[in-house]
Amino acid sequence: MKKLIWIAMVLFCLGVAGLALAAQEQPPAPVPADPAATNFAAAYPSVKEKLPPLPVPPASMNDAKATAAYIAAVDAYLKAAQGYIDASGNDVNFIIRERNTAIESANQVVANYNAFFKLEEKK
């Protein structure tokens, strides 16, 4: 019976020691992406640059000419905003396609690299 208790205590101590060592080992932190990294040659056009000024409602709805001008300004603003949104979506889709192409290319280089060294090991 004493033997079983000693064996259980030794196993318990080894388990605790293993947990203590495992808790001390920190996995390497991933290298963070550079937040300033960009592939744009120039700054991306901001909304303020591309859209017309915000439409300002007239002081009174009784002024038919000012109300019509406001309606036209809102319509023009919404069309410009939709154009910016569509163009931004196209830009994002292009960037994603190019990023995926870069990933595929990098994976192919890694596969070739691994294949090269596996061939060297067989000789």
Side-chain angles (χ1 to χ4, degrees), residues 44-45 47 81-95:
Y44 195 77
V47 173
Q82 188 60 54
Y84 184 85
I85 292 166
D86 292 343
S88 297
N90 291 339
D91 295 342
V92 167
N93 290 334
F94 175 76
I95 290 168

Side-chain angles (χ1 to χ4, degrees), residues 29-65:
V31 178
D34 181 5
T38 183
N39 290 324
F40 285 122
Y44 195 77
S46 71
V47 173
K48 290 181 180 181
E49 293 172 6
K50 296 300 254 182
L51 297 183
L54 292 174
V56 178
S60 170
M61 284 184 42
N62 294 334
D63 185 357
K65 189 175 180 181

